[in-house]
Amino acid sequence: MSGRHSAAERFPFLEGELSVGGVRVSRLAERVGQTPFYAYDRQLLSARVQQLRGVLPAAISLHYAIKANPMPALVGWMAALVDGLDVASGAELRVALDAGMDPREISFAGPGKSEVELAQAVASGILLNIESAREVRLLADISSRLGTPARVAVRVNPDYELKSSGMKMGGGPKQFGIDAERVPEVLADIGREGLAFEGFHIFSGSQNLRAEAICEAQTKGLELATRLAAEAPSTVISVNLGGGFGIPYFPGEKPLDLAAIGDHLEGVAESAASSLPGTKLVIELGRFLVGEAGVYVARVIDRKVSRGEVFLVTDGGLHHHLSASGNFGQVIRKNYPVEIGTRGMDAPREVASVVGPLCTPLDLLADRMQLAEAGPGDLVVVFQSGAYGITASPMRFLSHPAALEVLV
Ligand SMILES: *Cc1c(COP(=O)(O)O)cnc(C)c1O
């Protein structure tokens, strides 16, 4: 075992340096004009979508959930590859519209949508995933004010959970969606208020690496939607079955068995064709589409040895990359895959910790990892960083400079 994560294969060494999209990382740092930065590789994004299309039945629409990475240039690139975009705020909605996605293929989910956000959504003609009775009431007013009925789907909090998810977002008491047993009332309200009902949204969790668990949630999601369709004010046009596809971050984690999910979805699409004829099925993925296509790059400022342990102190840290520090939803801190990008594959290796410049022991990007021996000026590369990076981090904490983002 080399100890290198499979992520390293996507960013091969060229002339003794790790590369991103064919550009050596030190050259890329010059091009960006500063460290730290995030770099996302367009070809890897395209390849991932292509890989998925290869196993997904043609009947399944593929949406990108842009909260995973809302960088406008990246969303613009993804918009040309996927069938739709899912947004979670009014600001994300603007990014999705600017990216050129057809509003008919944009949907908006999330609890606590403001009146302004609801109006933005109606004015732009996107689909709203309703999360409460309050939203129905507000949308009735907004629809009559704007003279156009809101397009709505009901986000359902299912009466089951997605097993083995990194984050559970459905089942039991939740702030997301409307409890399945209360959906019939809300459907009646939607009909009474004359909103344009289109279907259901059932998202039960995130970061799942077990194909069987994801398949089970898809089967149950379709069953639930079929049951609820009987109460709907009009034909069900679309059912969003969620996503939850995970990526391997830590030692021992295996990539998702995509072929198994593709096969399963064939069956799901067939049963939908008879139980809900004419209904479009959608899956919405965030990190699975973009997470593996990005790296975070920081420069070593200082090399310290404390009581026999090596610390590489960098200009980047948890303020840019909270997830890699282990403080974004992880229960036990584990190392993201990390390499020294400016030392060749054959460089001597040592055990070192990579830390940031913040005055907290939480500011740890690598805890006692096998890395190439490095010192000031070297570039540290954190893999699996294309999702939940910059926008999921407390960038202003300690007032250090912001990280930049580039698409290569
Ligand atoms: C966060 C979220 C996603 C994306 O989750 P990933 O783990 O990045 O795939 C998709 N849909 C909804 C409703 C979400 O809240």
Side-chain angles (χ1 to χ4, degrees):
M1 268 252 332
S2 69
R4 287 193 169 88
H5 190 272
S6 62
E9 291 163 18
R10 287 184 276 279
F11 303 93
F13 274 74
L14 287 180
E15 299 161 30
E17 270 194 36
L18 184 141
S19 63
V20 181
V23 183
R24 284 181 296 116
V25 67
S26 65
R27 173 62 70 95
L28 184 57
E30 295 288 345
R31 178 194 136 176
V32 175
Q34 74 158 59
T35 55
F37 61 89
Y38 281 88
Y40 315 117
D41 180 332
R42 297 171 211 267
Q43 296 316 323
L44 291 175
L45 295 168
S46 298
R48 174 48 58 96
V49 173
Q50 212 175 357
Q51 177 197 14
L52 251 179
R53 298 278 197 197
V55 302
L56 287 183
I60 306 278
S61 291
L62 175 62
H63 283 203
Y64 171 47
I66 81 172
K67 83 167 190 276
N69 188 329
M71 181 205 191
L74 179 142
V75 176
W77 184 261
M78 295 300 290
L81 301 173
V82 297
D83 305 310
L85 296 175
D86 294 331
V87 303
S89 69
E92 284 191 358
L93 172 55
R94 283 192 290 267
V95 171
L97 292 167
D98 287 348
M101 179 56 72
D102 184 338
R104 283 172 299 188
E105 309 301 337
I106 298 176
S107 61
F108 183 175
K113 296 181 198 76
S114 70
E115 292 190 43
V116 170
E117 288 174 319
L118 293 169
Q120 277 180 270
V122 178
S124 51
I126 65 152
L127 178 66
L128 273 155
N129 293 318
I130 285 190
E131 311 244 356
S132 74
R134 163 190 167 270
E135 291 183 356
V136 177
R137 287 195 305 275
L138 288 171
L139 285 172
D141 292 346
I142 293 167
S143 299
S144 59
R145 178 163 68 80
L146 297 184
T148 179
R151 295 175 53 215
V152 300
V154 175
R155 179 169 182 182
V156 185
N157 175 24
D159 35 19
Y160 55 83
E161 284 190 346
L162 171 55
K163 292 179 192 133
S164 332
S165 263
M167 285 192 204
K168 288 195 170 65
M169 293 178 64
K174 286 284 179 301
Q175 74 267 49
F176 306 109
I178 294 168
D179 293 346
E181 56 278 18
R182 297 206 41 216
V183 168
E185 285 167 52
V186 173
L187 289 170
D189 287 348
I190 288 172
R192 203 161 34 242
E193 301 290 359
L195 306 184
F197 172 79
E198 297 201 0
F200 298 103
H201 176 220
I202 305 167
F203 180 81
S204 31
S206 200
Q207 181 49 22
N208 201 310
L209 287 169
R210 281 191 48 224
E212 322 85 82
I214 291 174
C215 293
E216 188 187 321
Q218 290 165 344
T219 300
K220 288 183 168 170
L222 179 63
E223 283 167 9
L224 179 56
T226 305
R227 224 183 327 129
L228 293 172
E231 319 271 345
S234 54
T235 316
V236 175
I237 296 170
S238 68
V239 173
N240 181 330
L241 291 171
F245 296 24
I247 60 172
Y249 289 99
F250 308 120
E253 289 186 340
K254 298 235 159 36
L256 196 55
D257 182 355
L258 266 193
I261 296 177
D263 286 348
H264 177 77
L265 279 172
E266 294 278 359
V268 171
E270 271 171 38
S271 50
S274 64
S275 65
L276 294 172
T279 300
K280 180 173 84 168
L281 295 181
V282 177
I283 59 168
E284 53 174 1
L285 306 179
R287 84 183 73 222
F288 187 80
L289 296 179
V290 299
E292 302 201 284
V295 291
Y296 173 65
V297 180
R299 193 178 296 280
V300 178
I301 293 171
D302 202 353
R303 175 190 168 93
K304 298 173 65 169
V305 179
S306 169
R307 308 221 159 97
E309 288 194 15
V310 177
F311 290 86
L312 300 172
V313 186
T314 67
D315 57 3
L318 81 68
H319 53 312
H320 301 150
H321 203 335
L322 189 67
S323 319
S325 77
N327 295 293
F328 187 66
Q330 286 118 296
V331 181
I332 301 168
R333 190 198 174 285
K334 292 182 193 152
N335 287 325
Y336 266 47
V338 169
E339 283 292 349
I340 305 297
T342 41
R343 298 281 159 164
M345 297 284 276
D346 306 324
R349 292 171 85 81
E350 65 178 355
V351 173
S353 293
V354 178
V355 301
L358 307 189
C359 300
T360 161
L362 298 178
D363 193 10
L364 184 61
L365 291 176
D367 184 16
R368 288 162 293 175
M369 274 181 96
Q370 274 284 344
L371 296 170
E373 285 178 19
D378 277 311
L379 296 174
V380 173
V381 176
V382 182
F383 299 107
Q384 307 300 77
S385 297
Y388 305 108
I390 210 163
T391 57
S393 301
M395 193 117 85
R396 299 182 62 183
F397 186 40
L398 264 80
S399 306
H400 282 287
L404 290 176
E405 295 178 284
V406 292
L407 191 59
V408 182

